[in-house]
Amino acid sequence: MIKVYLKRPVCVERIDELGTGLLDKYEIYSLSGGMWHPHDEVGHSMLCSGYLEWGDWIATGADGSQWIIPNALYEQQYGELPVIPKAVADWIEKCKHDGTSVGYMLCYERQPEKVRDWIELTPGTYDFNQRRYAEHQDLLARAWLDGYTVEEDK
């Protein structure tokens, strides 16, 4: 399976009851009151803004900055990449290579037949499916922006 990530590098670690070693790593003294790091003039400072709860994530950026990502937001922002067929991935890469826009890539008349069929047709039929069309247009745009996983051959 091919995975292509387009987001900036970020390391995320989940604070859960099985990973309590992270509490020591980040010098977290309390989960009910947020995160404290004992290296400032007054003795305690917030390592991250906000409050940390079991299941939340600590993100560390390439520059060393850290922040808390609540689990619901993590699932929304960093969840699984969209899964698309190889023909669709090839279309995205061709458009990016040619320097075209996302609007051009989404243009029905310009898309290869396999891409159009994947976007709009009910599988196994030649029936146009309006719901599928809308969902797959959104999925295609998300794959363009965030990255994607190429589905395995069946």
Side-chain angles (χ1 to χ4, degrees), residues 1-118:
M1 183 178 297
I2 300 170
K3 292 188 176 189
V4 178
Y5 291 91
L6 300 176
K7 292 189 176 189
R8 293 180 304 177
V10 62
C11 174
V12 292
E13 296 178 280
R14 188 170 194 189
I15 302 296
D16 60 17
E17 294 171 19
L18 299 175
T20 53
L22 293 176
L23 299 178
D24 293 333
K25 176 181 176 181
Y26 290 104
E27 299 182 35
I28 300 170
Y29 303 116
S30 168
L31 282 180
S32 61
M35 298 174 55
W36 289 272
H37 192 284
H39 297 298
D40 71 352
E41 305 79 40
V42 294
H44 292 90
S45 66
M46 290 297 284
L47 176 64
C48 305
S49 61
Y51 291 96
L52 183 68
E53 296 179 7
W54 291 114
D56 287 348
W57 300 77
I58 297 176
T60 304
D63 63 355
S65 62
Q66 295 177 319
W67 61 96
I68 297 169
I69 304 174
N71 189 51
L73 180 61
Y74 174 83
E75 293 298 328
Q76 178 185 5
Q77 294 285 325
Y78 299 98
E80 288 296 316
L81 294 172
V83 178
I84 58 175
K86 176 138 178 37
V88 176
D90 291 344
W91 174 241
I92 290 171
E93 294 308 316
K94 179 188 181 326
C95 289
K96 287 188 174 197
H97 178 269
D98 294 347
T100 60
S101 68
V102 67
Y104 177 98
M105 187 260 316
L106 290 170
C107 180
Y108 177 85
E109 290 80 18
R110 302 188 190 287
Q111 295 168 343
E113 184 178 0
K114 286 184 177 182
V115 174
R116 288 193 312 259
D117 290 351
W118 173 78

